[in-house]
């Protein structure tokens, strides 16, 4: 396993412990998709994440701190999910995001 793969695995485990269980690694071994447009990569000793035009970074030696920041944003995004997302997932098995009825 590469350093980036190990860093992403650690971050994914920390996110899961904070209730972000739907994050998944994208096949490049250094990118994690968390939720709509919220993507994290690891390179050059930093976790770097972006959400649209917003870009942030966090030291790679602190996956717990990074996971805390990302989980906070994830929960904010889910609490105010876009209307189109709610319609998209309406009726899907296992969905915890409600839609307009």
């Amino acid at each position: 396993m590469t350093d980036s793969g190990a860093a992403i695995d650690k971050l994914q485990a920390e996110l899961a412990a904070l209730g972000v269980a739907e994050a998944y690694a994208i096949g490049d071994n250094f990118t994690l998709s968390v939720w709509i447009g919220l993507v994290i990569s690891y390179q050059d000793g930093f976790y770097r994440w972006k959400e649209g035009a917003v870009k942030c970074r966090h030291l790679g030696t602190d996956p717990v701190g990074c996971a805390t920041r990302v989980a906070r944003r994830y929960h904010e995004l889910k609490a105010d999910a876009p209307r189109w997302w709610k319609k998209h997932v309406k009726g899907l098995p296992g969905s915890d995001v409600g839609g307009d009825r």
Side-chain angles (χ1 to χ4, degrees), residues 12-88:
Q12 189 172 14
E14 294 297 336
L15 285 168
L18 294 170
V20 184
E22 44 189 55
Y24 62 93
I26 297 174
D28 62 10
N29 208 28
F30 66 92
T31 305
L32 193 64
S33 176
V34 179
W35 206 56
I36 306 169
L38 181 57
V39 179
I40 307 164
S41 63
Y42 179 86
Q43 59 188 131
D44 302 327
F46 286 94
Y47 290 107
R48 301 171 193 271
W49 70 91
K50 63 182 178 176
E51 174 200 341
V54 177
K55 296 180 182 179
C56 301
R57 73 178 189 168
H58 196 92
L59 282 173
T61 57
D62 183 21
V64 174
C66 181
T68 301
R69 291 175 70 191
V70 171
R72 184 179 310 125
R73 184 61 184 138
Y74 164 84
H75 291 296
E76 290 171 355
L77 289 169
K78 281 201 77 163
D80 192 24
R83 186 180 191 107
W84 63 264
W85 179 256
K86 292 176 183 180
K87 288 181 180 183
H88 174 73

